[in-house]
Amino acid sequence: MNITTVIFFFLSSIVGYGAAKFFAGPRAGVEGRVRSWIFRIHGYYVHIHHWMWGSAALGLLLLMHFQNVFVYGLLTGITIQGLNYRNRFTIIYKM
């Protein structure tokens, strides 16, 4: 891996972080520009946080041997930004 690739990954991570910050709510519990994925199932809410789908997408792409540093950087930035919320691990909760 060369320095250009590392810089490109770092810059695309910043873009991903900024995009997530722009579209997500300003703090936990506040609706953002894009609605959260919250589902009702048998009297419970299930919240699929953006750090969860970002991590899942990263893992899937790695398993598929996907070769795009920009996409990896974007998803890394999205995931890191999502882990900044205080409710980041509140996934299932009662209605």
Side-chain angles (χ1 to χ4, degrees):
M1 183 180 318
N2 61 33
I3 189 68
T4 306
T5 303
V6 173
I7 292 170
F8 193 56
F9 174 81
F10 180 72
L11 292 175
S12 61
S13 295
I14 292 171
V15 170
Y17 187 96
K21 187 89 169 148
F22 178 78
F23 288 110
R27 61 187 177 284
V30 178
E31 194 67 47
R33 289 177 173 87
V34 175
R35 294 191 63 176
S36 298
W37 293 357
I38 301 175
F39 306 96
R40 289 186 198 179
I41 301 174
H42 302 294
Y44 290 91
Y45 288 114
V46 178
H47 184 173
I48 309 299
H49 296 271
H50 60 281
W51 69 263
M52 294 169 69
W53 62 256
S55 298
L58 275 170
L60 183 63
L61 292 174
L62 284 167
L63 287 173
M64 294 170 40
H65 303 285
F66 187 71
Q67 300 289 317
N68 190 318
V69 175
F70 182 75
V71 172
Y72 283 127
L74 281 177
L75 290 172
T76 300
I78 289 168
T79 301
I80 291 169
Q81 194 280 332
L83 289 171
N84 286 312
Y85 291 98
R86 64 177 165 76
N87 71 340
R88 63 190 164 266
F89 300 124
T90 305
I91 298 164
I92 299 172
Y93 50 97
K94 195 86 163 138
M95 293 174 124

